[in-house]
Amino acid sequence: AQKVTQAQTEISVVEKEDVTLDCVYETRDTTYYLFWYKQPPSGELVFLIRRNSFDEQNEISGRYSWNFQKSTSSFNFTITASQVVDSAVYFCALTNHLKTSYDKVIFGPGTSLSVIP
Amino acid sequence: DVKVTQSSRYLVKRTGEKVFLECVQDMDHENMFWYRQDPGLGLRLIYFSYDVKMKEKGDIPEGYSVSREKKERFSLILESASTNQTSMYLCASSLTWGQTQETQYFGPGTRLLVL
């Protein structure tokens, strides 16, 4: 069975601190995609990144970076020098790479990040 | 940029009313999805559609139906709204690209309150 765990329910940091959001997944698929989405208070889920299971290179985009480790089934997300605008709920998600039939996206429960000025 | 729009951000309805939630995407995506999001339960898939006039049940289809008459539009219908359908409803769409799953892009959501 596929599962995504985000053990941190809520995190509070002071502005300019770095923060890492943890994501651990379970799957029997050999190829899969992992995603991160951001949901600000307005409600829309904003796509941040998609990572293919056979590409374990870490990725950096501005203040955001992602650490994918297949050996520990983790896909952690780090925000450097956090800002108030980073306050949101962040979801990690997993799906099969191949659409042989519809394989739904499995979302984690989300981590609520509050960045305090 | 992918644009997914939903007809209402906030909606208040009475128990027993028929409710239509509309979703439109402008990127010619084949696949469209309806989710509901509730505290403690996360995102749950209600229905999805691979193509015009096609629909598939998700995890929680009871009490809902859908309609996809045009590729860009996917409607969620609550035939007789009940208080337990008070929720945040999120629409998403994705492209079909060969045999791989593609990224789902979400609309702004509709917060529905059923009184």
Side-chain angles (χ1 to χ4, degrees), chain A:
Chain A
Q2 293 183 316
K3 186 179 179 182
V4 175
T5 301
Q6 295 178 257
Q8 305 148 309
T9 306
E10 296 180 5
I11 302 176
S12 287
V13 298
V14 177
E15 201 171 19
K16 297 185 183 175
E17 284 184 352
D18 299 347
V19 59
T20 295
L21 310 182
D22 296 334
C23 173
V24 173
Y25 62 92
E26 295 175 30
T27 181
R28 284 183 284 187
D29 295 325
T30 53
T31 57
Y32 46 89
Y33 283 129
L34 294 161
F35 305 83
W36 276 96
Y37 287 87
K38 172 183 179 181
Q39 188 177 38
S42 59
E44 179 176 356
L45 262 78
V46 178
F47 166 71
L48 296 178
I49 190 171
R50 182 180 81 177
R51 176 46 50 94
N52 195 313
S53 56
F54 45 79
D55 180 4
E56 285 194 71
Q57 278 200 332
N58 291 329
E59 183 153 344
I60 298 174
S61 176
R63 296 184 297 107
Y64 294 172
S65 61
W66 291 269
N67 183 354
F68 176 34
Q69 293 203 340
K70 220 167 174 177
S71 59
T72 56
S73 297
S74 64
F75 186 43
N76 296 338
F77 173 30
T78 297
I79 302 174
T80 304
S82 60
Q83 300 176 2
V84 172
V85 292
D86 296 328
S87 296
V89 180
Y90 291 86
F91 292 93
C92 181
L94 164 74
T95 190
N96 186 16
H97 173 66
L98 292 175
K99 196 176 71 177
T100 50
S101 60
Y102 178 71
D103 284 312
K104 63 181 180 181
V105 178
I106 306 298
F107 287 88
T111 296
S112 178
L113 174 65
S114 296
V115 180
I116 303 162

Side-chain angles (χ1 to χ4, degrees), chain B residues 59-72:
Chain B
D59 297 323
I60 51 164
E62 297 78 20
Y64 303 94
S65 62
V66 290
S67 173
R68 187 136 182 234
E69 296 296 320
K70 293 185 177 181
K71 190 175 185 179
E72 67 272 16

Side-chain angles (χ1 to χ4, degrees), chain B residues 45-104:
Chain B
L45 182 64
I46 305 171
Y47 267 98
F48 61 98
S49 169
Y50 280 136
D51 202 349
V52 175
K53 296 193 185 295
M54 293 184 68
K55 60 183 180 184
E56 299 283 347
K57 292 180 180 179
D59 297 323
I60 51 164
E62 297 78 20
Y64 303 94
S65 62
V66 290
S67 173
R68 187 136 182 234
E69 296 296 320
K70 293 185 177 181
K71 190 175 185 179
E72 67 272 16
R73 189 179 298 269
F74 192 34
S75 303
L76 180 69
I77 303 155
L78 287 65
E79 294 289 341
S80 178
S82 63
T83 54
N84 62 14
Q85 292 179 309
T86 291
S87 186
M88 170 73 139
Y89 290 88
L90 291 160
C91 176
S93 73
S94 69
L95 186 66
T96 289
W97 186 256
Q99 291 301 308
T100 61
Q101 301 275 10
E102 292 301 315
T103 301
Q104 291 186 20

